Amino acid sequence: MLTAHAYHGHAHATPIGEVVLDYEGRFLRRKVITLTDDRRCLVDLPQTTSLDAGGVLVTDAGEVTVVAAPEPLLEVRGDGLVRLAWHIGNRHTPCQIEEDRLLIQRDHVLRDMLERLGAELAEVVEPFTPEGGAYGHGRTHGHDHSHSHGPDTHVHAHG
């Protein structure tokens, strides 16, 4: 079994495999996961970490790419998209923000609120990669890319 003791927000080498996880599954500290080729990997990180799509778990054998799994979401469109985004954010709901739409996890209370606000809603199944917090709290953290990429000198600062 592979063991991952570190996570990086971007790859540094050709990955040895990939794992597909939904949004909730990408928030972990210690757990056995199954890669797409059926190998198992014990993730044993020093602290609970939000894994971003495209990030990598670092094992002794190499890096494992994290892929966002398709999951049931609510697509939000319509006039006043900025206003709709404000109402979603005011409820501290994870939201994927795109140019012409928002994606949130399905929730009947939010659906009702958004319908009352005039949003155009559709149920979709897609990978979910919501925005992180502006101050590095919650599901995100600051990431310092001013590190060395030598074989024994890889350090990341997470605030």
Side-chain angles (χ1 to χ4, degrees):
M1 179 183 322
L2 297 169
T3 302
H5 292 290
Y7 166 77
H8 297 295
H10 56 278
H12 300 98
T14 302
I16 62 160
E18 68 179 22
V19 61
V20 179
L21 300 168
D22 66 11
Y23 179 66
E24 294 304 321
R26 294 193 315 268
F27 191 63
L28 56 93
R29 190 194 81 70
R30 183 175 169 84
K31 181 179 181 179
V32 174
I33 58 173
T34 303
L35 307 187
T36 56
D37 62 7
D38 290 328
R39 286 183 292 168
R40 293 166 45 98
C41 178
L42 169 63
V43 178
D44 189 14
L45 303 174
Q47 63 190 26
T48 303
T49 303
S50 181
L51 311 180
D52 296 323
V56 292
L57 292 164
V58 181
T59 74
D60 291 336
E63 296 177 342
V64 174
T65 302
V66 177
V67 176
E71 55 188 289
L73 302 171
L74 191 60
E75 178 184 75
V76 182
R77 294 183 184 267
D79 293 334
L81 201 57
V82 171
R83 180 173 165 263
L84 297 171
W86 183 88
H87 281 283
I88 291 168
N90 194 42
R91 279 133 185 100
H92 302 280
T93 299
C95 182
Q96 182 173 326
I97 301 171
E98 298 179 3
E99 188 69 30
D100 61 347
R101 71 177 187 162
L102 308 171
L103 292 173
I104 61 172
Q105 293 170 313
R106 292 184 192 171
D107 178 282
H108 70 280
V109 174
L110 288 175
R111 173 189 282 277
D112 182 60
M113 175 198 71
L114 291 165
E115 285 174 342
R116 290 174 189 255
L117 292 170
E120 300 165 18
L121 305 175
E123 292 185 354
V124 298
V125 177
E126 297 181 25
F128 187 47
T129 56
E131 290 291 316
Y135 300 105
H137 296 109
R139 288 287 305 250
T140 63
H141 32 278
H143 194 126
D144 179 5
H145 285 266
S146 61
H147 55 268
S148 170
H149 280 248
D152 299 309
T153 59
H154 194 94
V155 177
H156 278 248
H158 295 274

